[in-house]
Amino acid sequence: MKINNSRSMTLSDHDHYTEERIRNWDKVAKNLGNLGTVRNYYHSRLQDLYKLNIPPEAKVLELGCGGGDLLASLKPSIGVGVVFSGEMLELARSRYPDLVFYQQDAQQLGLVEMFDFIILSDLSNDVEDVQKVFEVVKAHSDSDTRIILNFYSHIWSGPLSLAQSLDWATPTLLQNWLDLSDVRGLMDLAGLEPIRNTKEVLWPIKTPVIDSLFNRYLVRLWPFKYLALTNLMVARVKPENTQVDEGLSVSIICAARNEEGHIEEIIERTPELGRYTELIFVEGNSTDDTYNKIEKEIANNPERNLSLYKQPGKGKGDAVR
């Protein structure tokens, strides 16, 4: 999986990431009406899927709302959309003046309300820190809130790039290609839990009879479901009565290469779980002082079960093995 971790980026890297995304979505907003039929059909199908999960007159928050089409199609009693791009903000406000739109970073949301539903359509593919977004979602959810998101399947990365080059799909920058286990893991860290997921959109082109056959029926069947374009997941806040079995111990492997500035934070943010928790650092031949920094922090935290190994090979997989 490819996930950009904001904690390992400098301020200038973060600023560059933000400005690059805003420029891209400003450009998309100006050309939204010129995008092809693949995009139109795909988003129309997504609207149908979200309508099956969200009744009219609900209080809905959409992070990464784009031009507001999906949010408006749900006919919410209160609809709030958050968008990164100023051009997208103006487009959404002009199209749907009865809804509320804000230009904010989904990772640093400044709202105070709780919502019945929070939706993230193709957002996790494009954000810098997916876990932080999920933490924001949790902060605006109560026990009855349902979080609904869809994200591209990695198997479609090639066809999607081709569709974008032909102006059939919305152009994007470097994406996070997450599978279901990645999203479940990041949700778990943020205090959320999935309650169901489905594979959706097997045929992304409007074609009489064929699109209905593929997207309503064949996509539910093996092996066709593994070729679906997007994953649709419904989640909620973890119930507070969830308890860890105190009789179990936990081992956490941390593959560390050029992470000198983050070792102390990693130790501080790793909780003690179960009977005891061991944190195993595998240092991967860093060009900075990561190895010595880990040795120092082990000495500074004698009460923690910490250990350090020097990686003989290369790559995260080798470190974990």
Side-chain angles (χ1 to χ4, degrees):
M1 78 178 174
K2 298 178 180 178
I3 301 177
N4 292 319
N5 190 333
S6 64
R7 300 184 185 93
S8 64
M9 300 177 74
T10 66
L11 180 61
S12 60
D13 288 334
H14 174 78
D15 291 342
H16 174 72
Y17 188 99
T18 300
E19 292 171 0
E20 188 179 36
R21 255 59 186 174
I22 290 175
R23 283 196 301 269
N24 179 68
W25 290 109
D26 281 346
K27 182 179 178 180
V28 170
K30 293 176 180 178
N31 297 284
L32 201 57
N34 299 324
L35 293 175
T37 57
V38 173
R39 180 195 180 278
N40 292 337
Y41 176 76
Y42 170 70
H43 284 271
S44 175
R45 180 60 184 156
L46 287 182
Q47 289 177 15
D48 292 339
L49 293 169
Y50 276 86
K51 288 176 186 176
L52 292 174
N53 289 279
I54 302 176
E57 301 300 314
K59 188 175 181 180
V60 182
L61 168 66
E62 182 179 8
L63 301 182
C65 66
D69 295 338
L70 175 58
L71 182 62
S73 73
L74 301 173
K75 302 186 184 305
S77 60
I78 298 175
V80 178
V82 174
V83 67
F84 217 17
S85 155
E87 294 288 342
M88 279 291 187
L89 177 71
E90 294 305 316
L91 178 65
R93 284 176 172 174
S94 65
R95 285 181 170 182
Y96 306 108
D98 55 326
L99 302 177
V100 179
F101 297 98
Y102 297 105
Q103 184 181 7
Q104 292 190 27
D105 185 341
Q107 299 173 174
Q108 301 172 343
L109 201 59
L111 305 180
V112 296
E113 299 94 339
M114 297 293 180
F115 294 86
D116 301 323
F117 295 90
I118 301 178
I119 60 179
L120 304 87
S121 181
D122 293 326
L123 180 66
S124 60
N125 298 93
D126 200 56
V127 295
E128 181 182 353
D129 190 327
V130 180
Q131 182 184 333
K132 184 176 287 188
V133 172
F134 287 157
E135 291 169 355
V136 167
V137 166
K138 182 186 177 185
H140 292 81
S141 305
D142 56 31
S143 59
D144 294 322
T145 301
R146 291 296 175 262
I147 301 111
I148 307 178
L149 65 154
N150 67 279
F151 50 97
Y152 292 127
S153 170
H154 190 275
I155 197 172
W156 277 80
S157 58
L160 182 61
S161 296
L162 176 61
Q164 291 171 343
S165 68
L166 297 173
D167 290 333
W168 291 352
T170 302
T172 57
L173 300 175
L174 181 66
Q175 297 285 284
N176 301 315
W177 290 103
L178 308 175
D179 62 24
L180 288 171
S181 63
D182 295 330
V183 174
R184 290 192 189 104
L186 292 169
M187 281 190 167
D188 183 64
L189 292 172
L192 305 176
E193 64 175 8
I195 52 180
R196 69 175 182 274
N197 63 265
T198 57
K199 303 282 190 178
E200 302 291 349
V201 190
L202 185 60
W203 187 261
I205 303 172
K206 180 65 176 177
T207 313
V209 181
I210 292 178
D211 60 70
S212 180
L213 173 65
F214 276 61
N215 296 328
R216 296 190 180 189
Y217 303 106
L218 290 183
V219 76
R220 309 286 175 228
L221 304 176
W222 183 92
F224 301 104
K225 63 182 180 181
Y226 296 109
L227 302 175
L229 172 59
T230 193
N231 300 285
L232 184 76
M233 181 178 287
V234 180
R236 66 181 179 183
V237 175
K238 285 183 187 177
E240 292 185 0
N241 61 357
T242 300
Q243 296 182 350
V244 175
D245 187 340
E246 295 295 334
L248 300 178
S249 60
V250 179
S251 297
I252 300 173
I253 301 171
C254 180
R257 185 175 188 274
N258 296 333
E259 294 289 349
E260 177 186 355
H262 305 287
I263 302 304
E264 185 176 355
E265 179 185 9
I266 290 170
I267 295 172
E268 289 179 353
R269 296 185 59 180
T270 301
E272 289 290 341
L273 303 170
R275 183 160 47 90
Y276 72 88
T277 297
E278 63 171 342
L279 179 55
I280 304 168
F281 288 97
V282 183
E283 193 279 323
N285 304 296
S286 302
T287 57
D288 63 8
D289 201 31
T290 296
Y291 190 91
N292 290 331
K293 179 64 175 179
I294 297 172
E295 283 190 319
K296 179 181 177 181
E297 291 305 321
I298 289 176
N300 290 340
N301 293 273
E303 76 285 357
R304 301 295 300 272
N305 192 342
L306 308 174
S307 57
L308 170 61
Y309 296 88
K310 189 76 172 180
Q311 182 181 350
K314 294 182 179 180
K316 183 176 180 181
D318 174 80
V320 172
R321 286 190 293 271

